[in-house]
Amino acid sequence: MPSMTDTNLSQPATNDSSGVAVLDRAFALLAAFGATDDRLSLTELSNRTGLYKSTVLRLLAALEHGGFIRKLPEGQYSIGPQPLRLAAIYQRSFQVGDVIEPLLKQLSAASGETASFYVRSGNMRIAVFRVEPSRSVRASVRVGQEYAIEQGASGKILLAFAQPYAADLSGIRDQFWATSYGERDPETASVAAPVFGVTRELTGALALSAPRERLTAAEAMFAACRQVIEAAREATLAFGGDVSRYSRSLDGLSLDRFSPP
């Protein structure tokens, strides 16, 4: 008996919802190709999407006509040239700040603390974006200022996810966040999480900084860490990166992991 998905697809697209459903299935086919998949067979595409082979064939024909899919001589399928053209347009038009700055504003407003985005420059880290809260007592971060990469939560993130991986930082890679209590400034505490791009490269570290007394309590750092991970996940999603690790990181949070040294 055909599934509801294939029954709907076989009917004429008589309204907007059916047209959207067809597009969703076409996008699902494209998304079936993983980072290491040069080619996939009809059977593999059917299994990965849950669609009947007859449905997959119809969608593949349309995608091939549009340049999104190539049919290989051996009968398998690979990604066509059209996504590369769109990617080039995306890269020309995309600005990191367009994604990061709104997220930093939201994070700072929600937490009442200073939100920043750091990148690595040799053995230093640089704050390239930051948003400070309106409260008079706050952690100060200067855009363009270089800081020692061995200090601070964002420095730990930039080191932990740099290739080749450092064995002694595997714990940070596993949990997907890092904290700092008074490392760069004795009166400041911070928490940071990594942000990744479409090819899984580390884009930078998103951090929240505050006067140490406001993040000393485990409950306060726990809440700040959750906010930072969620913001980093949103940034990675906007950059086209893989966000599956962030959910596992959030699930693994517990108060007993936030006792200051």
Side-chain angles (χ1 to χ4, degrees):
M1 180 176 183
S3 68
M4 182 63 71
T5 298
D6 283 74
T7 300
N8 289 341
L9 185 62
S10 64
Q11 297 173 350
T14 56
N15 53 50
D16 289 342
S17 62
S18 61
V20 169
V22 172
L23 285 174
D24 285 342
R25 291 162 203 158
F27 290 141
L29 275 177
L30 294 172
F33 288 86
T36 60
D37 294 322
D38 294 329
R39 58 190 65 198
L40 293 174
S41 67
L42 175 61
T43 299
E44 289 172 320
L45 288 168
S46 177
N47 290 338
R48 292 189 183 189
T49 59
L51 298 172
Y52 284 160
K53 290 182 181 179
S54 58
T55 299
V56 173
L57 280 172
R58 291 198 298 273
L59 292 170
L60 286 172
L63 290 169
E64 185 179 7
H65 179 74
F68 290 90
I69 286 289
R70 287 189 303 137
K71 186 174 182 179
L72 304 176
E74 301 87 350
Q76 294 177 306
Y77 296 88
S78 66
I79 296 295
Q82 187 68 1
L84 183 61
R85 185 184 73 84
L86 296 177
I89 296 173
Y90 172 78
Q91 288 180 328
R92 288 198 305 269
S93 63
F94 183 79
Q95 300 292 328
V96 171
D98 294 342
V99 170
I100 294 299
E101 288 189 306
L103 286 172
L104 293 182
K105 289 178 181 178
Q106 294 172 19
L107 181 59
S108 180
S111 64
E113 307 296 354
T114 299
S116 311
F117 186 73
Y118 292 84
V119 297
R120 183 172 183 173
S121 176
N123 293 322
M124 306 296 288
R125 57 187 172 97
I126 300 175
V128 290
F129 301 103
R130 71 99 170 81
V131 174
E132 294 183 342
S134 58
R135 61 202 309 177
S136 57
V137 180
R138 59 183 184 266
S140 178
V141 174
R142 293 175 56 190
V143 172
Q145 176 69 47
E146 291 186 331
Y147 300 99
I149 199 166
E150 296 85 2
Q151 298 175 335
S154 60
K156 294 176 184 178
I157 290 293
L158 294 173
L159 286 173
F161 290 92
Q163 298 281 1
Y165 287 156
D168 60 333
L169 297 175
S170 60
I172 292 176
R173 289 193 296 275
D174 290 341
Q175 67 189 20
F176 240 52
W177 51 266
T179 57
S180 168
Y181 297 88
E183 293 177 12
R184 178 181 66 84
D185 179 347
E187 297 180 356
T188 300
S190 62
V191 57
V195 174
F196 296 94
V198 67
T199 58
R200 301 188 179 184
E201 79 283 3
L202 180 66
T203 301
L206 195 150
L208 196 64
S209 305
R212 184 169 178 172
E213 63 182 16
R214 292 209 290 260
L215 289 182
T216 296
E219 293 82 1
M221 186 60 92
F222 173 88
C225 186
R226 177 170 291 276
Q227 290 174 313
V228 167
I229 295 171
E230 290 174 344
R233 178 177 60 186
E234 291 302 309
T236 297
L237 181 63
F239 291 149
D242 179 8
V243 297
S244 59
R245 291 283 303 277
Y246 295 93
S247 296
R248 294 199 295 272
S249 176
L250 289 168
D251 290 341
L253 291 181
S254 59
L255 281 175
D256 59 6
R257 305 185 70 179
F258 295 97
S259 298

